[in-house]
Amino acid sequence: MEQGVTNLNRFLLEQQREFPGATGGFTILIESIGFASKIISREVNKAGIVNIIGRAQSTNVHGEDQQKLDVYADKKMIQALDHLGKLCAMASEENDDLILIPSKYPKGKYLAAFDPLDGSSNIDVNISIGTIFGIYKRKDDKEGDGCCEDFYQPGRDMVAAGYILYGSSTMMVYSAGNGVHGFTLDPSVGEYILSHPNMQMPDRGKIYSMNEANYNLWDDATKKYLSYIKNDVDTKYTSRYIGSLVADFHRNLLKGGIFIYPEDKNNPDGKLRLLYECAPLAFIAEQAGGRAVNGKEDILDVVPTGLHQREPLAIGSKYEVDLYMKFKRGEL
Ligand code: AHG
Ligand code: MN
Ligand code: MN
């Protein structure tokens, strides 16, 4: 390997050696997600030239149209993870029920939750999309198949979380609880190369990301917050909203700022899903020095009661999220 270049495999092995008891089970999980994401990335890149764009003529558990790439990405994630002998169950945005490990494969102690393709409304228009994942460890000593309840643990107990951004380049960003590390896919060799070690979110930022079309549906606290930051002449906030959570979050992670998808009159729990959207990104945010809340408490303290539970989300730089919480608590 070229001197000075650290690929994902090498990085994971070096991290693994820092934990003397580690068996490598976790390493192979992350590597396999990396592998699935390379296949998805290839498909995303050629989406315009093959006939893969368009509806798959099926709807998912949320009643949303599934795009062909949603189905494809879901399949690739499951195929990459089901045979490793490391998982006892999976949960995916695209599957109503828990995904069990086929009986021919051994089971392990980890659980994976994922949004195989995030931002799917942007596929047809060649705008950045992503994949989000969270890895949990089952709490009991049982062996064999996992169950839904195994996932019902606070995000703070996650073993690892991350996302892949299919942007102008493909990036994998992950944390196993010791900082956030970003890898950029070098398509010429098909390897993720460590490009962003120890990522830190700026304490403050100028970007706010909200779907303002929903303004009339928001509560007074959220309306007042938005008006407050718009009138902050010192900071001069600017608005950026892609509509792909991964892409909106990634930009704010690098530049600082806040993304909010609050509860509203039509969606009392917001839109985004706790297990495979909010919690993994909250884990990354906290590891990078940022914060994520649901307007009442930190996202990582929320204990899920359903695989597809929705949760309001405000995530980003600590200063911005703290300020939003002051409005939500009625202090401002
Ligand atoms: P998904 O494509 O996995 O269903 O997620 C879409 C999500 C998220 O990526 C984005 O932040 C949000 O939906 C945008 O919602 P609005 O179009 O309501 O703003
Ligand atoms: Mn999503
Ligand atoms: Mn999705």
Side-chain angles (χ1 to χ4, degrees):
M1 191 195 311
E2 194 184 318
Q3 208 184 358
V5 171
T6 300
N7 66 359
L8 178 64
N9 182 280
R10 178 176 183 160
F11 185 85
L12 288 167
L13 276 175
E14 283 172 0
Q15 296 267 304
Q16 189 185 315
R17 282 192 203 114
E18 286 177 27
F19 295 92
T23 58
F26 170 73
T27 296
I28 197 171
L29 273 172
I30 303 293
E31 262 175 16
S32 300
I33 291 172
F35 174 65
S37 72
K38 288 180 201 172
I39 308 279
I40 298 167
S41 177
R42 185 189 63 188
E43 220 54 32
V44 166
N45 284 327
K46 65 180 189 192
I49 46 172
V50 295
N51 186 23
I52 200 161
I53 300 183
R55 313 239 177 265
Q57 291 177 329
S58 58
T59 47
N60 67 11
V61 58
H62 314 290
E64 301 155 338
D65 285 333
Q66 278 183 311
Q67 304 276 312
K68 279 183 188 172
L69 263 177
D70 279 329
V71 181
Y72 181 85
D74 187 45
K75 219 188 279 172
K76 292 300 147 193
M77 287 293 283
I78 294 170
Q79 284 169 354
L81 295 172
D82 68 356
H83 61 284
L84 302 173
K86 305 301 172 195
L87 295 178
C88 57
M90 293 178 263
S92 161
E93 184 192 16
E94 301 303 330
N95 294 271
D96 308 20
D97 302 322
L98 193 70
I99 305 161
L100 292 176
I101 305 301
S103 54
K104 60 183 170 186
Y105 299 129
K107 319 286 181 290
K109 58 191 171 184
Y110 293 108
L111 304 133
F114 45 86
D115 177 354
L117 209 103
D118 173 66
S120 42
S121 69
N122 281 320
I123 298 170
D124 287 359
V125 288
N126 204 1
I127 301 293
S128 299
I129 49 183
T131 296
I132 310 174
F133 63 90
I135 309 286
Y136 298 79
K137 202 171 183 178
R138 76 192 296 173
K139 294 274 185 194
D140 56 37
D141 296 329
K142 285 197 203 114
E143 299 200 340
D145 287 335
C147 59
C148 294
E149 285 69 25
D150 290 323
F151 279 99
Y152 302 164
Q153 43 179 300
R156 216 168 275 297
D157 294 351
M158 242 182 286
V159 181
Y163 60 83
I164 294 94
L165 171 66
Y166 310 104
S168 45
S169 43
T170 294
M171 271 196 81
M172 177 166 178
V173 174
Y174 99 98
S175 175
N178 54 351
V180 177
H181 309 287
F183 300 80
T184 303
L185 182 63
D186 178 343
S188 65
V189 287
E191 284 282 337
Y192 278 112
I193 308 294
L194 181 62
S195 52
H196 296 66
N198 297 310
M199 297 170 83
Q200 281 290 314
M201 193 172 237
D203 286 339
R204 289 188 69 160
K206 296 177 190 292
I207 296 172
Y208 72 89
S209 312
M210 306 170 79
N211 187 342
E212 284 192 58
N214 296 329
Y215 182 88
N216 290 338
L217 303 173
W218 293 341
D219 66 5
D220 286 346
T222 303
K223 286 178 179 168
K224 271 168 75 181
Y225 170 78
L226 183 60
S227 156
Y228 182 91
I229 60 171
K230 278 183 169 179
N231 289 299
D232 181 341
V233 285
D234 298 326
T235 310
K236 292 200 181 71
Y237 281 94
T238 187
S239 165
R240 294 284 184 276
Y241 191 78
I242 297 170
S244 286
L245 176 62
V246 169
D248 278 310
F249 174 76
H250 183 74
R251 182 201 51 242
N252 293 3
L253 172 64
L254 295 177
K255 296 196 165 181
I258 188 166
F259 170 98
I260 309 178
Y261 208 112
E263 70 280 21
D264 62 40
K265 275 185 197 136
N266 296 341
N267 306 290
D269 299 317
K271 175 184 186 185
L272 301 170
R273 270 69 68 157
L274 176 58
L275 259 181
Y276 42 79
E277 292 184 315
C278 305
L281 296 188
F283 192 85
I284 297 282
E286 282 205 11
Q287 282 289 318
R291 191 180 175 196
V293 299
N294 63 3
K296 295 192 179 91
E297 59 183 326
D298 287 318
I299 287 286
L300 292 184
D301 289 328
V302 180
V303 181
T305 53
L307 291 183
H308 301 288
Q309 177 176 334
R310 294 174 196 269
E311 205 65 30
L313 176 68
I315 187 166
S317 295
K318 196 159 179 320
Y319 174 86
E320 266 68 39
V321 179
D322 287 351
L323 184 66
Y324 180 62
M325 279 303 281
K326 285 193 183 138
F327 280 89
K328 288 298 278 184
R329 284 195 297 257
E331 293 165 15
L332 281 173

